[in-house]
């Protein structure tokens, strides 16, 4: 069911050719840019940032016990969800959605790399399993 949901999200977000065939293996390589601050998988723990298990489709500020920035907490209070389009926007430039956020990352400028990264993240359930 989750795979169907993620596939539907990717299809709905497909506004350019970069989304046509996201590559999970390439997304794993792109994730190396995130690994200094984020973990993913069954043993993922809080680092500088929260674990990213189950991030695609999750509510903002969903990881219990992590001290999110006020921008992210406000988004959670407004009912925002990390859908594909929102993740794409955030990964491109985190300060666009959370200007006062804690994420000190310049972003991933390549549209195809963002699509690959989101496809990689989408395969992980909240418990870290695939």
């Amino acid at each position: 069911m989750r795979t169907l949901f993620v596939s539907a999200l990717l299809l709905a977000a497909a506004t350019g050719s970069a989304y046509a065939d996201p590559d999970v293996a390439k997304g794993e390589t792109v994730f190396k840019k995130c690994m200094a601050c984020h973990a993913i998988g069954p043993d993922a723990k809080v680092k500088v940032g929260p674990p990213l298990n189950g991030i695609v489709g999750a509510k903002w500020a969903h990881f219990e016990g992590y001290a999110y920035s006020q921008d992210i907490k406000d988004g959670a209070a407004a009912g925002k969800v990390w859908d594909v389009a929102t993740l794409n926007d955030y990964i491109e430039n985190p300060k666009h959605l959370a200007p006062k956020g804690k994420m000190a990352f310049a972003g991933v400028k390549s549209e195809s790399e963002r699509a690959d990264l989101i496809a990689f993240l989408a395969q992980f359930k909240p418990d870290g399993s695939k």
Side-chain angles (χ1 to χ4, degrees), residues 1 15 19 24 27 34 39 47 64 66 79 109:
M1 181 71 178
T15 56
Y19 286 109
V24 171
C34 312
K47 290 176 139 184
E64 197 72 32
Y66 181 76
K109 302 308 178 203

Side-chain angles (χ1 to χ4, degrees), residues 23-96:
D23 185 319
V24 171
K26 287 181 181 177
E28 184 173 8
T29 299
V30 177
F31 184 72
K32 290 178 182 179
K33 297 177 183 182
C34 312
M35 288 176 62
C37 298
H38 295 282
I40 199 160
D43 299 321
K45 302 211 179 342
V46 172
K47 290 176 139 184
V48 173
L52 297 178
N53 293 332
I55 191 69
V56 179
K59 294 179 181 179
W60 284 29
H62 73 284
F63 188 79
E64 197 72 32
Y66 181 76
Y68 290 96
S69 67
Q70 193 60 50
D71 288 347
I72 299 298
K73 289 187 225 176
D74 291 345
K80 292 186 178 184
V81 173
W82 290 115
D83 58 27
V84 172
T86 304
L87 276 169
N88 184 59
D89 188 19
Y90 190 71
I91 294 167
E92 180 180 17
N93 178 5
K95 297 299 182 189
H96 180 246

